[in-house]
Amino acid sequence: MALIARRLLEQLSGVFSNEAQAVANPPLFASIQVVFRPTPRLAPGSLLLEQAYALDPGQPYRIRVLRVRHRQEQGLIIENWALQDEERLYGATMEPERLVHVQQQDLTLLQGCTYLVETAGDGFRGEVEPGCNCRVQRAGRETYLVSRFEVGEGWLRTTDQGFDPQTHDRVWGAVSGAFEFERIRSFAAELPEAW
Amino acid sequence: MALIARRLLEQLSGVFSNEAQAVANPPLFASIQVVFRPTPRLAPGSLLLEQAYALDPGQPYRIRVLRVRHRQEQGLIIENWALQDEERLYGATMEPERLVHVQQQDLTLLQGCTYLVETAGDGFRGEVEPGCNCRVQRAGRETYLVSRFEVGEGWLRTTDQGFDPQTHDRVWGAVSGAFEFERIRSFAAELPEAW
């Protein structure tokens, strides 16, 4: 794997918290826990992702497999895979012995939801590929996702918004500004050498 | 006290949670706990208020005494009082034996921050009095507070926003919409009969 992809994996692997942001801005930001855990039984570059309210980390509101790849034609990308029967894996990012139960046959690539990534300083920034094709049902409405992140050594910033496919009006998300996370634990040491 | 003021006190007294809203809209709404507790040693109509992230209810980000009054000239109002050395009272809304330590001499009326209240259906709606005089420091900036609520039997909706006193631009708050609370416990039975 390209060195640059390795660095992205190292910066992402870990537990991120925006508790400082929540405490500084009550009551505008929920405290969120975001965990990216290397999942060595899957293809190189695979991280299990869980996003949850810090109040209830065992009940994530989003669980995915992200796969960092470096492709000749597109450069650095992160594929976004959904999990079948995802409930059985809730909490697995913090109980790594359960990661063996994440298998490729349970994964479905989310079309239109791949992140295109470029370097930015010592870190990276990424955005869902253009085309308005990453469809998300929310509050009974179909929306397309516009999602951006920036990551560096020890920090992560994210914004997610949903837009109406016809009018392109914003339907949900990220009106108070980006979520700003600090990494409170690193799992970079768990990345297989071969990745 | 007027019957109408009594009804407002009965609807407010209790523990309110917006957990359902947070769970339905991740990660856009923090889970908040709002508690109004009758404080019988103070003047009639006094409620100790604590607002806190549900993650850490013992560390409220706002603690006040609210005092419901019915005045000939203004109708129904709620005065907003700050507490001296407020840290010593953190958590007191859930430990009523500590309410004896809330004394009138420790209270300062927040000028410009009185709510004007009117009936709305079976409940009420209120808004901070006009004049842009309820000043709040936030993120190092002086702002004025615009705060609204609606309350009914078992529910509460609130919005708080801060505006720049010169430009009247919104500086903080309530861009995702109102907080929507359900009452999960009532303290109406603790209201003194004489109120």
Side-chain angles (χ1 to χ4, degrees), chain A residues 19 21-32 51 53-56 61-62 138-139 160 170 172-176 179, chain B residues 19 21-32 51 53-56 61-62 138-139 160 170 172-176 179:
Chain A
E19 187 185 353
Q21 179 183 39
V23 168
N25 299 282
L28 303 181
F29 286 93
S31 280
I32 309 297
Q51 296 176 243
Y53 284 125
L55 197 58
D56 199 2
Y61 57 82
R62 191 174 297 137
R138 187 121 189 183
D160 292 295
R170 186 176 62 210
W172 58 266
V175 273
S176 301
F179 283 97
Chain B
E19 187 186 354
Q21 180 183 38
V23 168
N25 298 280
L28 302 180
F29 286 92
S31 280
I32 309 298
Q51 296 176 242
Y53 283 125
L55 197 57
D56 199 2
Y61 57 82
R62 190 174 299 138
R138 188 119 191 185
D160 293 295
R170 186 177 62 209
W172 58 266
V175 273
S176 301
F179 283 96

Side-chain angles (χ1 to χ4, degrees), chain A residues 9 11 14 19 27 39 44 56 67-68 76 82-83 88 91 99 109 118 127 136 144 156 161 172 183 188:
Chain A
L9 286 165
Q11 290 185 351
E19 187 185 353
T39 308
D56 199 2
R67 186 168 294 156
V68 173
L76 202 54
L83 289 136
R88 73 194 160 87
L99 295 174
L109 184 65
E118 58 185 21
E127 183 163 357
V136 177
Y144 65 88
L156 173 69
Q161 299 180 310
W172 58 266
R183 186 159 69 176

Side-chain angles (χ1 to χ4, degrees), chain A residues 82-89 101 103 105-108:
Chain A
L83 289 136
Q84 198 160 26
D85 301 327
E86 60 180 39
E87 292 82 356
R88 73 194 160 87
L89 292 164
H101 301 299
Q103 297 181 312
Q105 73 234 35
D106 302 325
L107 303 183
T108 305

